[in-house]
Amino acid sequence: MRIRTDGDYAYRRDAIERAADFYDCNKTKAVVSACDDVPKFVQASRQVLERDDLTLKQRREIAETLSTRAVTFEVESEIVVDTD
């Protein structure tokens, strides 16, 4: 697999190098590690945001903190009233 890092895609090289620095490994292992980790982090983030012991404000603040360029978390509140 090749990842273009020329021209408009130069930012990818920086991202891959940051991942290699973070994981303290080579670029290939860093890409694989990030690909393995991201779905797990997203699932864990969803679980945190769905906790009942957090206020709506806390959930929104956490969602804003966890959001990135590629993944955005949003918290919605729904109020339903049934009348007979």
Side-chain angles (χ1 to χ4, degrees):
M1 174 185 301
R2 293 180 184 217
I3 299 174
R4 290 187 59 186
T5 57
D6 60 328
D8 291 341
Y9 302 106
Y11 70 94
R12 291 176 177 175
R13 178 179 306 277
D14 294 336
I16 293 168
E17 288 175 356
R18 281 193 309 273
D21 289 342
F22 176 79
Y23 287 107
D24 192 25
C25 62
N26 65 45
K27 294 175 191 173
T28 300
K29 183 168 172 49
V31 169
V32 172
S33 296
C35 290
D36 286 342
D37 286 349
V38 168
K40 293 175 185 174
F41 285 132
V42 169
Q43 181 57 35
S45 299
R46 284 183 178 145
Q47 288 176 339
V48 167
L49 293 171
E50 291 173 355
R51 288 177 36 179
D52 291 336
D53 62 331
L54 298 172
T55 66
L56 181 58
K57 181 180 178 184
Q58 289 172 322
R59 287 185 215 172
R60 287 185 173 153
E61 289 172 351
I62 293 167
E64 184 178 340
T65 299
L66 295 175
S67 292
T68 66
R69 179 182 56 83
V71 178
T72 303
F73 294 93
E74 293 182 15
V75 176
E76 296 178 3
S77 176
E78 182 177 331
I79 298 173
V80 177
V81 177
D82 288 327
T83 58
D84 290 330

